[in-house]
Amino acid sequence: MVVYAPAALLFLVFCVSVLRERRKFSNAVVLGLAVLCALAGLLYRLVDSGSASAPFVLWALLVLGAVAVLVLTCFLFLNGVRMLRKEGRSPTNLLSLLAALGVLAVIALLATAAALRTPLLIGAATAAGGLALYFSFLFLCFVCYAFLYGRLRVRRKADFVVVLGSGLINGSTVPPLLASRLERGREVHARLSRRGGSPVLITSGGQGPDEDLPESHAMADHLIAQGFPADLVRREDRSRNTEENLRYSKAIMEEAKPDYRCVVVTNNYHAFRAALTARRVRIRGQVVGSPTAAYFWPNATLREFTAILVDYRRSNVVMCALILLGGVAAWWAAGRG
């Protein structure tokens, strides 16, 4: 059982870290490392056992991995095409398609390097494969922990429910994506009220250059038209992005009640990154997500992951530099051989 000790230790660190502060990306990485160590221990025990079925199991795992990559690539490609048809050709709508093409490019480079075995191709394939594994690991960590975060319980009592804006249609109309957030905000508000509280709901969003009014005003009007009490709505109408949503909403909450607690509402694909931002601006509260259309989720998740990579760009640049140096070392070693 010693081979599972690293996995057990990492899982213990993960549990303690989540109990102390669930809004950390390091939680996702530690959980991913724990799973990797557990799988490594399992494979070691399988090989070390000398079982006749060990080679079959290893080959089955390799085939399963190859099939999973193929299925994922096809899914990303088809989702990318659907996004272009439904949402238009903006750069952010191309992420699924670009991810599929990136996977195919890495596979083609690895196959070419294995066939030709030239030093330059070996170095390039080593670097590309290393980068692909690194970002794939981080992405899986992100997706799995974001799923887990979305299912962790929030506090039983809160003084505010903050609904984040997401843009308007035709300058004044609440789109389905934002309507989903508002409906989730109503549900959270109702649940908190049933527990004896009287929270205030803050609609958060400023006015964009192509909008006729601030998003927060359209959101508040949408809620009031559906019967939500107007006296329980506050409007934060200066923000232009998620961080400003949270900073300006925080100022409203601190002014009303310095020791406030809140629940922040956004879409499910955005909840974990919003939680990371909430931690950075020191919001006292957790984030919950509302449902998102299935076709929209993969591309939106890739967008959120890309944004997180940018937020942690220093550590990612260092890791990428080390991987590229590994590619240079492989090129040099192949040339000497």
Side-chain angles (χ1 to χ4, degrees):
M1 298 299 291
V2 177
V3 293
Y4 297 115
L9 179 60
L10 285 168
F11 186 71
L12 178 62
V13 171
F14 166 76
C15 292
V16 172
S17 182
V18 169
L19 289 174
R20 295 183 63 183
E21 174 57 86
R22 67 180 72 171
R23 304 172 300 174
K24 294 195 300 184
F25 189 71
S26 59
N27 293 340
V29 176
V30 173
L31 178 61
L33 290 173
V35 173
L36 277 183
C37 288
L39 289 175
L42 184 63
L43 289 175
Y44 176 82
R45 289 289 300 274
L46 181 65
V47 173
D48 189 57
S49 67
S51 172
S53 62
F56 172 78
V57 173
L58 293 175
W59 276 108
L61 289 174
L62 288 174
V63 171
L64 182 63
V67 171
V69 171
L70 178 62
V71 171
L72 176 62
T73 304
C74 293
F75 171 76
L76 288 172
F77 182 82
L78 294 174
N79 180 256
V81 173
R82 189 175 184 186
M83 280 293 298
L84 292 178
R85 289 176 178 173
K86 284 184 170 288
E87 302 292 333
R89 298 184 179 181
S90 68
T92 55
N93 292 337
L94 293 172
L95 289 176
S96 295
L97 194 57
L98 291 175
L101 295 175
V103 172
L104 291 175
V106 171
I107 292 173
L109 179 58
L110 292 173
T112 304
L116 299 180
R117 296 183 178 277
T118 62
L120 182 60
L121 282 175
I122 290 174
T126 301
L131 290 172
L133 289 174
Y134 173 68
F135 288 118
S136 296
F137 170 73
L138 289 182
F139 182 71
L140 288 173
C141 291
F142 164 69
V143 170
C144 293
Y145 187 70
F147 177 83
L148 178 62
Y149 178 86
R151 279 146 186 82
L152 295 175
R153 290 187 177 183
V154 298
R155 292 179 61 89
R156 290 184 173 272
K157 294 184 179 180
D159 307 295
F160 297 91
V161 178
V162 182
V163 183
L164 306 184
S166 67
L168 304 175
I169 295 176
N170 299 323
S172 60
T173 305
V174 171
L177 192 76
L178 185 51
S180 172
R181 296 185 184 187
L182 291 168
E183 181 58 30
R184 180 73 163 123
R186 281 170 56 94
E187 293 173 0
V188 172
H189 187 278
R191 186 172 69 248
L192 292 171
S193 298
R194 286 194 298 269
R195 292 171 179 169
S198 182
V200 172
L201 192 148
I202 299 176
T203 54
S204 179
Q207 183 172 351
D210 58 344
E211 294 175 338
D212 301 329
L213 73 167
E215 294 170 14
S216 60
H217 291 212
M219 295 160 67
D221 293 343
H222 179 88
L223 285 169
I224 294 169
Q226 292 187 339
F228 193 86
D231 60 317
L232 293 180
V233 179
R234 291 286 302 274
R235 297 165 174 83
E236 181 288 298
D237 56 9
R238 296 186 295 160
S239 56
R240 296 167 296 178
N241 53 49
T242 299
E243 183 166 340
E244 290 186 358
N245 285 146
L246 295 170
R247 286 190 184 278
Y248 295 146
S249 297
K250 176 186 176 184
I252 292 174
M253 292 186 289
E254 285 184 333
E255 181 180 0
K257 186 175 183 179
D259 60 343
Y260 74 91
R261 289 286 175 178
C262 72
V263 177
V264 180
V265 180
T266 183
N267 285 92
N268 51 13
Y269 68 83
H270 184 239
F272 182 42
R273 185 164 74 89
L276 298 178
T277 306
R279 176 174 178 263
R280 187 166 64 247
V281 303
R282 299 185 179 182
I283 289 280
R284 288 194 292 276
Q286 299 297 334
V287 183
V288 299
S290 64
T292 306
Y295 80 89
F296 192 83
W297 186 87
N299 196 83
T301 301
L302 286 170
R303 185 177 64 199
E304 295 299 301
F305 176 64
T306 302
I308 287 178
L309 291 179
V310 174
D311 289 341
Y312 292 88
R313 53 187 172 274
R314 291 183 180 178
S315 55
N316 286 317
V317 166
V318 171
M319 288 300 302
C320 289
L322 292 174
I323 293 170
L324 291 175
L325 285 176
V328 172
W331 169 62
W332 181 78
R336 284 177 60 89

